[in-house]
Amino acid sequence: MRVCRGGRDRGVISIFVAISATMMLLMLGITVDAGGRLRAIEEADALAQEAARVGGQQIDEATLLSGGGYRINTAAAYAAATDYLRSDSRYKDLRLVAESDPNNPPQALATSITVVINMQYRTATLGLFGFSNLSVQGHGTAKLATDPTRPGGP
């Protein structure tokens, strides 16, 4: 008669393989979607920068012609940046921050603007684990440059 030893260990390897395969899938998902999220952040920053440039071109002509210097009309800048972003349906939210000149009292004119947009990155593999969307935020700033000899403006 032959005695079989180790009968209690049967099936242990298959449990180990199942757990290991799940963990490898999770790590693969994190790697793929982390790279995708970084690309989405870079794209959101580029989109916000372009919207800021469009908004920064909205110079207040009345102030310029009256000798008040170059100032951005923030209402027109917001409208121009919104119109620019409206052509791209991926943005979720737009926030425009206008920075006024310290020598000029706060009003609807500014020397620089910052555009902040919020977008959603749709995950490729992490949706299997309950993470179907990741939020990303992009920032872009446009500053008036009125002196061509000095980079970045006055």
Side-chain angles (χ1 to χ4, degrees), residues 50-59 71-73 77 80-81 96 112-113 142-144:
E50 288 299 318
R53 284 187 191 128
V54 169
Q57 294 173 355
Q58 307 307 311
I59 304 296
R71 297 288 179 262
I72 299 171
N73 182 336
L96 183 131
S112 69
I113 61 167
K143 182 179 178 185
L144 282 177

Side-chain angles (χ1 to χ4, degrees), residues 70-152:
Y70 291 95
R71 297 288 179 262
I72 299 171
N73 182 336
T74 56
Y78 182 78
T82 302
D83 287 343
Y84 179 81
L85 289 173
R86 195 168 286 140
S87 65
D88 193 329
S89 62
R90 294 171 293 177
Y91 86 95
K92 178 182 174 189
D93 185 26
L94 166 69
R95 187 178 76 209
L96 183 131
V97 179
E99 299 171 8
S100 296
D101 186 357
N103 299 330
N104 199 13
Q107 51 185 339
L109 303 177
T111 57
S112 69
I113 61 167
T114 299
V115 174
V116 179
I117 60 172
N118 296 311
M119 297 171 49
Q120 294 292 320
Y121 167 69
R122 176 165 271 142
T123 59
T125 56
L126 286 179
L128 298 171
F129 300 99
F131 300 102
S132 59
N133 288 322
L134 299 174
S135 64
V136 296
Q137 194 173 63
H139 303 271
T141 300
K143 182 179 178 185
L144 282 177
T146 57
D147 186 357
T149 62
R150 294 176 47 190

